[in-house]
Amino acid sequence: MSLQPGPVLPTAGMTFDQMLERVRYEGAYPTRERAGEIVRAVLAGLGRQLTGEERVDLAARLPVEAATVFAFQVPDPQQLTGREFVKDLAARTGGTPATARWDTGTVLTTVGQLAGHDLLTRILAQLPSGYGLLFGRAELTQAA
């Protein structure tokens, strides 16, 4: 039995429809419309958290429709930790913390692939703790 991951699909130049299809498949959502609702909710939340050059650079790498949702948000003055981000998404969408965690991880993993390694590293350096796993990266902490 092989434990290799599935095929890595190209993300450069991804259209919004391709992004929705990837999220629908990875998140096991029943319809593309449901995937679209999740993508919009998570991107809006991320748009409220990210500022500066990382915000501009990420918007440039997202499909136009996704970039619009993301960039339209006014950043909150108080950044949320990864856990608070998930709780906030659950409250805004009426979901449970478990489904909000699933939704967030599904979308942000795709966003992280679109961002690429270097930009994602910069994004994670800007955000409070807890976002690494949401983007599909291990989050290592130094021992005290």
Side-chain angles (χ1 to χ4, degrees):
M1 178 170 143
S2 173
L3 294 178
Q4 295 179 340
V8 176
L9 303 174
T11 55
M14 182 184 281
T15 67
F16 189 62
D17 285 340
Q18 290 168 329
M19 182 182 191
L20 291 183
E21 189 55 32
R22 176 170 291 182
V23 169
R24 188 200 63 74
Y25 177 78
E26 296 294 330
Y29 298 108
T31 65
R32 194 177 219 152
E33 292 74 24
R34 180 67 181 139
E37 293 169 11
I38 299 306
V39 165
R40 288 176 184 87
V42 172
L43 285 175
L46 185 60
R48 290 187 291 274
Q49 298 303 305
L50 204 55
T51 61
E53 288 181 37
E54 291 77 16
R55 179 184 179 91
V56 173
D57 291 348
L58 180 58
R61 295 190 188 183
L62 294 172
V64 173
E65 297 89 337
T68 302
V69 171
F70 169 75
F72 187 71
Q73 304 305 309
V74 175
D76 288 336
Q78 179 71 31
Q79 284 187 317
L80 302 174
T81 65
R83 175 175 280 185
E84 292 166 338
F85 182 90
V86 169
K87 283 179 66 176
D88 183 65
L89 181 68
R92 289 175 187 268
T93 62
T96 67
T99 58
R101 167 63 180 88
W102 178 264
D103 295 343
T104 301
T106 301
V107 174
L108 292 185
T109 298
T110 299
V111 168
Q113 292 167 351
L114 286 166
H117 183 280
D118 293 342
L119 177 55
L120 182 54
T121 298
R122 291 178 22 226
I123 288 169
L124 291 173
Q126 184 191 112
L127 293 170
S129 67
Y131 283 88
L133 290 175
L134 297 175
F135 277 98
R137 270 205 188 167
E139 193 162 330
L140 304 176
T141 57
Q142 249 182 343

